[in-house]
């Protein structure tokens, strides 16, 4: 059961960096100079002797001119085929391509109430980590919202409502494609969201589109500076009107700017963004959207808990793994927290535990993530890297670790 250590070692992220470096005809010294990474550090990463931190990966990807998904080896085609998720992607892409084609005569027009119910349902499934069910439902919903936008073309509330739902469906599509490692599909969905959001009459929806673009596009392409610039624009345009939903969006933007600043090693800016987020959380009486149904605040949660999670992210990006683990051990997630958020936290905690040689704890955190949101965990690149780290930490991996490695496709 599982995979042998030699097989796994040849598939680690360092091996992919070494292969791409050879394709680019870069010496190790040249790549390190371009990426502003120490030669000894990158040499150990390439040889599988240590994992690469998120900031190092971002710098190396940018120097090599590739996306992070390439370094991670995504998409994990063999796993997608095994889970029969690969067959769902072509219909989604086709539906997005037909976004603005007029419907044929006799095409039924769904009521806006019906579309709102279905849009909320797939948002809830997304929060639960049920990626397969979401992907199955998306093509029809993409088509139905496109028809609704063309049907309700006269200025007014119905038109704005149709565009709002179209924007949310495009957002869900982008998130699912991103999680499965299909960046071109994610970018196409984000482009559709960028078209729909400004027509929704909701400035928060526009800000959410910019947030997702900063998360998916600019972080993935190793241009965190562009992501920060985009978030600054979103914050300028989204005025603080005292509404709870606006505060949740603005707070989430601040935390994302902090993480992106940390990725580009601007730690002073990262701390400044975190400070602003902390002040906003205090002013908002620790708002936390987790206590509400998904989508009530644009499926975004913000409050003291989220600021703490932001501090965990910044510590990881600063390679201060002891601090990251300290923060993680103080976090107490509410029972109502969305499964994908719980799993995301556990995955980050496992990474910090692996970096600090708490190997058994790291595996336990990964197991908890698998129980909470199995599809998110199975396709998360950080899980693959953490499992690889745990496998390389010992000559003979225990059966429990080998089983998890086989399940996660490592």
């Amino acid at each position: 059961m599982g995979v042998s250590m030699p097989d796994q070692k040849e598939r680690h992220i360092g091996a992919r960096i070494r292969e791409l470096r050879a394709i680019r005809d870069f010496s190790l010294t040249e790549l390190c100079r371009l990426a502003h990474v120490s030669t000894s550090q990158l040499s150990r990463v390439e040889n599988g002797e240590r994992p690469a931190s998120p900031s190092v990966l971002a710098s190396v990807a940018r120097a090599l001119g590739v996306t992070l998904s390439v370094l991670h080896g995504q998409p994990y085609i063999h796993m997608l085929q095994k889970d029969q998720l690969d067959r769902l992607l072509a219909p989604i892409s086709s539906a997005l391509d037909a976004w603005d084609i007029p419907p044929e005569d006799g095409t039924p027009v769904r009521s806006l109430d019906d579309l709102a119910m279905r849009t909320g349902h797939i948002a809830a499934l997304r929060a639960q980590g049920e990626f397969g069910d979401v992907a199955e439902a998306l093509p029809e919903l993409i088509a139905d919202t496109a028809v609704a936008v063309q049907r309700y073309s006269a200025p007014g509330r119905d038109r704005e409502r149709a565009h709002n739902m179209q924007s949310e469906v495009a957002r869900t599509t982008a998130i699912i494609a991103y999680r499965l490692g299909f960046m071109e599909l994610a970018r196409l969905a984000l482009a559709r969201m960028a078209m729909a959001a400004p027509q929704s009459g909701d400035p928060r929806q526009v800000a959410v589109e910019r947030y997702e673009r900063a998360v998916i596009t600019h972080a993935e392409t190793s241009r965190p500076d562009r992501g920060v610039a985009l978030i600054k624009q979103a914050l300028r345009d989204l005025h603080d009107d005292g509404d709870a939903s606006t505060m949740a969006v603005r707070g989430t933007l601040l935390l994302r700017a902090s993480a992106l600043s940390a990725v580009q090693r601007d730690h002073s800016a990262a701390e400044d963004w975190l400070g602003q987020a902390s002040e906003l959380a205090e002013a908002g009486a620790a708002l936390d959207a987790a206590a509400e149904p998904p989508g009530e605040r644009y499926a975004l949660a913000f409050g003291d808990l989220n600021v703490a999670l932001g501090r965990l992210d910044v510590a990881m990006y600063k390679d201060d793994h002891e601090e990251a683990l300290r923060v993680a051990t103080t976090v107490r997630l509410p029972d109502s927290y969305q499964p994908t958020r719980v799993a995301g936290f556990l995955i980050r905690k496992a990474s910090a535990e692996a970096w600090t040689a708490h190997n058994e704890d790291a595996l336990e955190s990964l197991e908890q993530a698998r129980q909470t949101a199995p599809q998110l965990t199975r396709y998360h690149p950080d899980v693959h890297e953490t499992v690889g780290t745990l496998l390389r930490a010992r000559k003979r991996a225990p059966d429990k670790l080998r089983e998890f490695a086989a399940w996660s496709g490592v």
Side-chain angles (χ1 to χ4, degrees), residues 70-88:
V70 170
L71 293 187
H72 286 303
Q74 292 178 290
Y76 308 127
I77 297 296
H78 66 291
M79 293 166 56
L80 289 163
Q81 291 173 338
K82 184 176 181 179
D83 292 344
Q84 298 188 38
L85 292 177
D86 57 318
R87 64 181 176 82
L88 303 176

Side-chain angles (χ1 to χ4, degrees), residues 7 17 22 27 89 131-132 143 206-207 228 283 291 333 380 407:
D7 288 342
I17 292 174
S27 67
L89 298 172
F131 295 164
V206 175
V228 171
L333 301 180
H380 202 297
W407 173 80

Side-chain angles (χ1 to χ4, degrees), residues 8 72 76 79 343-344 346-348 350-351 365-367 369-370 373-391 401 404-405 407-410:
Q8 194 280 332
H72 286 303
Y76 308 127
M79 293 166 56
L346 290 167
I347 290 167
R348 283 175 284 176
S351 179
S365 293
L366 290 178
E367 287 285 3
R370 171 162 63 166
Q375 288 187 324
L376 172 69
T377 304
R378 183 170 165 84
Y379 288 97
H380 202 297
D382 288 354
V383 169
H384 287 232
E385 294 310 312
T386 298
V387 170
T389 299
L390 296 177
L391 287 171
L401 175 57
F404 191 96
W407 173 80
S408 60
V410 176

Side-chain angles (χ1 to χ4, degrees), residues 219-261:
E220 171 66 20
T221 56
S222 304
R223 290 303 305 259
D225 55 324
R226 292 179 179 173
V228 171
L230 191 61
I231 286 177
K232 287 180 178 178
Q233 180 185 16
L235 287 167
R236 284 195 300 268
D237 293 345
L238 183 62
H239 302 295
D240 188 356
D241 57 7
D243 184 271
S245 295
T246 301
M247 194 172 293
V249 175
R250 287 182 60 84
T252 302
L253 288 167
L254 291 170
L255 291 176
R256 178 49 53 179
S258 176
L260 291 172
S261 296

Side-chain angles (χ1 to χ4, degrees), residues 267-278:
H267 300 314
S268 176
E271 291 297 330
D272 182 61
W273 288 113
L274 263 180
Q276 293 184 55
S278 181

Side-chain angles (χ1 to χ4, degrees), residues 27-77:
S27 67
L28 179 64
T29 302
E30 287 173 321
L31 179 56
C32 289
R33 177 177 57 81
L34 291 170
H36 304 289
V37 177
S38 75
T39 305
S40 60
Q41 182 181 20
L42 188 56
S43 176
R44 294 179 65 193
V45 170
E46 285 195 352
N47 292 326
E49 297 171 3
R50 64 164 292 167
S53 67
S55 57
V56 167
L57 285 181
S59 298
V60 169
R62 184 172 178 179
L64 290 170
V66 299
T67 63
L68 285 175
S69 59
V70 170
L71 293 187
H72 286 303
Q74 292 178 290
Y76 308 127
I77 297 296

